Amino acid sequence: MIIVMRMGASEAEVGAVTRQIQELGFRAHLSRGEERTIIGLIGDERNVSQQSLELLSGVERVIPVLHPFKLASRDFRPEDSVVSVGSVKVGGRRVTIMAGPCAVESRQQLLETAWAVKEAGASVLRGGAFKPRTSPYAFPGLGEAGLELLAEAREETGLPIVSEVMAPETVGLVSGYADMVQIGTRNMQNYALLHAVGEAGCPVLLKRGLMSTMEEFLMAAEYVLSHGNFHVILCERGIRTFETYTRNTLDINAVPMLKMLTHLPVMVDPSHGTGRWDLVEPVSRASVAAGADGLMVEVHPHPAQALSDGAQSLKPENFAALVRSVSAIAAVLDREV
Ligand code: PEP
Ligand code: MN
C-alpha cells in the first residue's frame, strides 16, 4: 500500500503515520516529492485495513498496489528512477552504453578494450572477474586479480566499472572495487545473493533469468528494493526458446512492458541476447528504438582469441559503428547517448 500525505502535511503528521505503520509490523519507505510525501508500506499487507490508515491525520488517500512487486511498481513511484554508477547517471533522457570484454583476461586486453570503448562513446566499462561458466573446465575468470585490473582501467580511463558477483560471501569484495555489481541470469533468483546486495546498498545491474517471466524478474528486483536499496537497473538479456540459430531470444517486448510496469531503468544486453556478433548492432538499434535506457555490449580486441563469448564479441571498430548508429536512433526519440 502507498499512503499519500496531504499537500502541506506537517512533519509531525508524517512522523505519526510512520510510527503507526511500524507498530503494525511494517517498514516505512518515505519518498518526499516537491509537493507531497508518499509513504510506502513494506511487509505483508494482508491483515491491514486501508480505511483505518485513511483516518490518520494528514493522510489524503491510501492506494493499494495491485502488483505483487510493490516498491518496483510505477504505482509506488510514477517518475523514472535514475541510478548513479560512479559519475554516470543511468535512466532519464540518456541512453547509457556499457561495454567491455566478457571476461577480464589480462592487463593488455582490458586496457586496450577500455580505451577503445571509451573513444567510441561508452560511458561504463564492463568485465567479468568471477565468471559463471556452464563447464567447470572453462576459464572461470581471474577473481580478485581481475577486479584489480578493472580498478586500474577505471583509474586510467575514468570509466566507472561493472562486474559480476556470484556469491553472497563476495559481495563486499566485488562492491569494494566495482561501481556497480552485476547479478547474472543464472543467479537472478538466488535469494541469498539478492538479500546480500540489498543489504550492501550498492548499485546493482540485475539480469533477467533465462527462464524467467517479467513478473519473476520484477519480484527479484523487489527483493533488493525491500532492503531499502533502490539502486537497481534491470537488464533484458534474452530468454530461452525453441530457436537455435541464436543463443537466446531477445525479448524486445520486455523493454516497453517493463518500462510501463516499473520506474527502474531498463537496459538491454544484445550480446547474450543474440550470441552472434553480426546481430548485435541491428538488435541494439531495435532496443534503443523500443525505449531501452542503455545497452551492455561485449567487445574484445581479438574475438577469435577470447577466453569466453568470442562469437558474440564485437571488434572495437564494429562497436564504434554501433555507437554511431544507435546515437542516430536515440536522437529521433529526443534522447542522447
Ligand atoms: C555476462 O554478462 O558476461 C554474463 C555472464 O551474462 P548473463 O548472466 O546474462 O549470461
Ligand atoms: Mn559473456
Side-chain angles (χ1 to χ4, degrees):
M1 263 174 220
I2 297 164
I3 301 178
V4 182
M5 299 300 290
R6 284 209 189 94
M7 224 146 75
S10 70
E11 277 305 308
E13 285 172 325
V14 172
V17 172
T18 306
R19 274 192 301 283
Q20 177 68 26
I21 290 171
Q22 287 163 344
E23 269 163 33
L24 290 166
F26 293 95
R27 282 197 290 136
H29 182 278
L30 258 68
S31 166
R32 291 180 193 276
E34 298 246 304
E35 294 186 337
R36 48 181 106 230
T37 299
I38 294 176
I39 308 173
L41 268 70
I42 308 176
D44 185 352
E45 293 175 6
R46 278 172 297 188
N47 297 320
V48 67
S49 128
Q50 184 176 339
Q51 283 89 346
S52 63
L53 291 172
E54 261 161 357
L55 293 174
L56 297 174
S57 167
V59 171
E60 180 171 291
R61 66 201 139 94
V62 176
I63 307 170
V65 177
L66 299 174
H67 298 295
F69 45 91
K70 311 282 177 198
L71 305 172
S73 115
R74 279 244 183 234
D75 299 336
F76 179 70
R77 186 184 276 177
E79 69 277 16
D80 287 341
S81 286
V82 173
V83 175
S84 293
V85 182
S87 54
V88 172
K89 298 208 181 317
V90 181
R93 233 192 112 239
R94 285 213 169 252
V95 175
T96 305
I97 303 191
M98 307 187 181
C102 177
V104 178
E105 299 170 4
S106 68
R107 191 165 181 276
Q108 159 73 18
Q109 171 247 16
L110 184 66
L111 287 175
E112 191 179 336
T113 315
W115 280 115
V117 300
K118 181 183 168 131
E119 273 158 30
S123 49
V124 176
L125 175 66
R126 65 147 285 149
F130 293 95
K131 295 300 301 174
R133 301 305 301 272
T134 304
S135 164
Y137 310 118
F139 176 60
L142 297 177
E144 189 169 0
L147 295 172
E148 275 167 13
L149 292 173
L150 282 163
E152 189 182 334
R154 169 179 52 203
E155 192 70 29
E156 288 217 4
T157 60
L159 295 175
I161 54 181
V162 52
S163 199
E164 179 160 355
V165 64
M166 294 206 296
E169 310 81 72
T170 50
V171 168
L173 176 73
V174 179
S175 66
Y177 284 95
D179 298 283
M180 174 162 68
V181 301
Q182 172 175 327
I183 293 191
T185 194
R186 297 159 182 82
N187 273 317
M188 188 206 82
Q189 285 181 311
N190 179 338
Y191 297 113
L193 187 57
L194 296 171
H195 170 88
V197 298
E199 286 289 298
C202 52
V204 180
L205 181 78
L206 180 64
K207 299 185 87 174
R208 180 176 180 184
L210 77 166
M211 302 283 272
S212 299
T213 64
M214 291 184 224
E215 188 162 299
E216 287 162 342
F217 190 16
L218 290 166
M219 291 309 280
E222 188 78 7
Y223 263 85
V224 183
L225 269 50
S226 71
H227 288 275
N229 182 357
F230 275 65
H231 312 295
V232 178
I233 299 170
L234 303 175
C235 183
E236 162 61 39
R237 49 78 70 205
I239 50 175
R240 183 160 286 184
T241 67
F242 48 79
E243 183 50 64
T244 54
Y245 278 116
T246 49
R247 179 178 179 182
N248 292 292
T249 297
L250 189 107
D251 182 8
I252 199 78
N253 297 353
V255 177
M257 189 74 238
L258 290 169
K259 295 287 298 174
M260 263 183 241
L261 293 168
T262 182
H263 52 85
L264 299 172
V266 177
M267 297 195 37
V268 170
D269 169 352
S271 306
H272 293 86
T274 62
R276 296 179 55 122
W277 74 269
D278 52 357
L279 296 187
V280 170
E281 185 185 320
V283 171
S284 295
R285 283 198 298 262
S287 303
V288 172
D293 294 304
L295 298 171
M296 178 182 252
V297 182
E298 288 185 340
V299 178
H300 196 288
H302 310 287
Q305 276 128 49
L307 297 182
S308 67
D309 289 350
Q312 66 194 35
S313 296
L314 291 182
K315 290 182 184 164
E317 61 268 30
N318 293 330
F319 174 68
L322 176 152
V323 176
R324 285 194 293 275
S325 124
V326 300
S327 300
I329 302 276
V332 171
L333 298 166
D334 198 27
R335 297 186 82 173
E336 219 178 304
V337 170

